[in-house]
Amino acid sequence: VRVEGKTGEEEEEGEIKKKRTKSIDQIFEHFFRKDKGGYFEGCALGIAGDTTSNVLWRIQNNEMPYDFNPKVWWLLLGMNDLTRMQCSEEIVVLGILRVVEEIRLRKPDAKIVINSLLPMVNFDEMKKGDEEVKMADFADFQAKD
C-alpha cells in the first residue's frame, strides 16, 4: 500500500505529538508494517503542505521508480489545494483525477483508493496552549498581515 499525499507524520513532530497518546507512527506501524505485526506492508510518502500539482509533478518527473509496484495506492489529496491554495472544488477534483490518470498510465494494474477529504486541525490554536482541539476554518488559512 502506498499512501500518497498529506500525512500526519510530519505534523506529529513537535508540540502536537505531546498531546496524543499514540503517535501516527505507532498507528501506521500497527497496520502497515508486517514486521511490527501489521496486516499489510505500507509506505507513507506524503509531504505536509503538498498539493495535487506537487504530487503530479513528482510522478511525472520519475520520482516513482519503475520497479515500485504497490498493489494499492491510497490517495489523501485536496485539503491543501482547498485551503492554502484556495482552489475551487472543481479544480481540486480535476487535480485528484489527473493524479489518478498519471498513476494508471504508469501502473495500469494498481488499485487506487481516493480518500475523502479529512477535517484539518487548527495547529496555531493548539500551539497557544488550548486544551481543546479546534477544527480549522477556511479563514485560518488566509494570508495574515
Side-chain angles (χ1 to χ4, degrees):
V1 176
R2 174 178 172 156
V3 180
E4 183 69 61
K6 184 180 185 316
T7 67
E9 289 181 54
E10 292 174 318
E11 294 167 4
E12 272 302 304
E13 304 305 319
E15 296 300 313
I16 298 160
K17 192 169 195 169
K18 296 176 188 171
K19 295 187 182 245
R20 299 210 178 140
T21 56
K22 262 191 171 178
S23 74
I24 295 292
D25 291 338
Q26 291 170 323
I27 295 169
F28 188 84
E29 285 180 357
H30 174 74
F31 290 104
F32 297 106
R33 295 280 190 252
K34 286 187 176 179
D35 62 340
K36 306 263 182 175
Y39 304 105
F40 307 98
E41 191 62 37
C43 178
L45 299 174
I47 298 174
D50 238 355
T51 62
T52 54
S53 60
N54 298 134
V55 173
L56 182 61
W57 186 92
R58 284 199 304 278
I59 293 170
Q60 290 175 331
N61 287 276
N62 301 320
E63 290 194 23
M64 176 179 27
Y66 178 76
D67 59 349
F68 184 67
N69 294 304
K71 293 179 183 173
V72 177
W73 291 69
W74 197 283
L75 302 178
L76 290 93
L77 299 171
M79 282 308 298
N80 290 318
D81 297 278
L82 281 171
T83 55
R84 275 193 28 237
M85 305 309 290
Q86 299 182 9
C87 295
S88 69
E89 292 88 352
E90 293 85 6
I91 295 299
V92 174
V93 169
L94 287 172
I96 293 168
L97 292 176
R98 186 64 188 97
V99 169
V100 170
E101 273 182 338
E102 204 65 33
I103 294 170
R104 284 253 180 250
L105 179 67
R106 288 167 166 70
K107 310 291 181 182
D109 295 331
K111 291 180 180 148
I112 301 172
V113 177
I114 302 172
N115 203 94
S116 65
L117 297 180
L118 301 173
M120 296 180 75
V121 174
N122 186 337
F123 294 110
D124 291 334
E125 292 298 319
M126 288 181 73
K127 289 177 187 174
K128 292 178 188 174
D130 287 352
E131 292 298 317
E132 185 178 325
V133 176
K134 296 181 180 150
M135 299 313 295
D137 189 345
F138 179 77
D140 296 328
F141 296 97
Q142 293 181 0
K144 298 178 182 177
D145 295 331

